[in-house]
Amino acid sequence: MQQSPRRLTVYVIDDDSSLRTMISRMITESPDFSSHPFASAADFLDGLDGLKPGCILLDLRMPDMDGFTLMQTLRDRGIDWPVIVMTGAGDVPVAVQSMKMGAVEFLEKPIRIDPLLETLERAASLLDERLQAGERHRDAKARVEQLTGRELEVLQGLLAGQSNKELAQSLGISLRTVEMHRGNMMDRLGVSSLAQAVALALEAGVRPPAQTSI
C-alpha cells in the first residue's frame, strides 16, 4: 500500500504577500507540512507540471484569475488535489459555492493555526486516498486495455449479467468459444473469479454494452 508522504506540500496561493508569508510560516512550523507559496493562480498553473501532489490553500478573491477560475481549470485538467479556500468576513455564501465546486473546506480570515493544521491533516488523508484510488484506476485500466475486442465484449456482457449461453447468442458465437474467450479474459486481467473480474472492470470504468432499441 502506498504510504503518505512524511511532509504534505501545501500550495499557498494568495496575492497578498504579507498574508501569504505569514500563512507559509504557520504551516512550516509543523514537521508534517511544507509550504510552497504562489502570488497568483497563473503562477501556480505555470509551474503545475513540475509540482508533486499536495494540498492547495487558495484565496478566492484575486485579480486576473480568481480562485473559482483556478478550481475549474484544475478540474478540466483532471487535477484532484484537495482545495481549501480562504475567505474574508461575510464571504460564507461564496465559500459554500466553492465547496459545491469541489473545495473540501473553507477557512475564514484571519487564519488561525489550530483550525488550519486540523484541516490540513484531513486534507493529507484525503489526498492519500485519492492518489491510491487513481493508482487502482490506472492499474485496472491498463489490464483491461490488454484484452482483445472479443474478450472485452465478453467482459461487458458479464457486467450486464449475461450467462455464457446468453453471451453466445448475443455475440453469434458458440458456447465453447465464449468459454475460451472468458478464460483468456480472466488470465489477461490476472483474476481468479468472476467477482474479481467484475470489480476490476468497474474500477477501470468499463460499462455494459448499450441496449439497442427494437
Side-chain angles (χ1 to χ4, degrees):
M1 179 181 296
Q2 181 178 348
Q3 298 297 315
S4 299
R6 178 67 184 91
R7 289 168 65 86
L8 171 72
T9 301
V10 182
Y11 300 105
V12 182
I13 308 174
D14 195 312
D15 62 307
D16 185 326
S17 61
S18 59
L19 183 60
R20 189 172 65 246
T21 299
M22 182 192 70
I23 293 175
S24 294
R25 286 176 179 170
M26 291 168 62
I27 290 171
T28 53
E29 287 178 358
S30 169
D32 297 324
F33 307 110
S34 63
S35 175
H36 190 154
F38 288 90
S40 70
D43 287 346
F44 175 75
L45 289 176
D46 287 343
L48 183 59
D49 289 343
L51 302 180
K52 66 180 181 179
C55 171
I56 300 170
L57 189 58
L58 176 64
D59 184 25
L60 286 177
R61 298 188 182 279
M62 294 183 292
D64 300 326
M65 181 185 295
D66 63 18
F68 290 112
T69 303
L70 176 60
M71 291 175 67
Q72 185 60 54
T73 302
L74 293 174
R75 178 185 294 183
D76 294 342
R77 295 191 184 186
I79 305 296
D80 195 26
W81 302 349
V83 175
I84 301 166
V85 300
M86 298 181 289
T87 67
D91 276 347
V92 172
V94 177
V96 171
Q97 181 184 347
S98 74
M99 296 187 73
K100 291 179 180 179
M101 292 184 62
V104 300
E105 186 59 275
F106 66 89
L107 299 174
E108 291 189 80
K109 299 177 181 178
I111 304 299
R112 294 179 293 130
I113 183 64
D114 289 340
L116 173 61
L117 294 182
E118 290 173 5
T119 302
L120 291 178
E121 289 285 356
R122 295 198 301 271
S125 298
L126 181 58
L127 176 64
D128 192 48
E129 293 172 4
R130 290 180 178 180
L131 292 177
Q132 291 186 43
E135 184 60 34
R136 290 193 300 270
H137 172 72
R138 288 188 292 272
D139 177 68
K141 188 175 180 180
R143 294 195 201 187
V144 168
E145 287 174 348
Q146 297 178 36
L147 301 179
T148 65
R150 185 64 85 186
E151 289 164 1
L152 179 59
E153 288 178 327
V154 170
L155 179 59
Q156 290 176 310
L158 293 173
L159 282 175
Q162 292 181 302
S163 66
N164 285 357
K165 183 176 180 180
E166 290 170 331
L167 275 168
Q169 182 176 6
S170 64
L171 296 176
I173 57 179
S174 69
L175 180 59
R176 171 172 283 188
T177 302
V178 168
E179 292 170 345
M180 178 194 71
H181 286 307
R182 177 169 168 169
N184 291 340
M185 177 265 294
M186 302 274 282
D187 289 341
R188 290 185 198 275
L189 294 181
V191 298
S192 58
S193 70
L194 175 58
Q196 291 176 344
V198 168
L200 189 145
L202 293 174
E203 185 70 57
V206 178
R207 296 291 179 264
Q211 299 296 322
T212 57
S213 302
I214 298 178

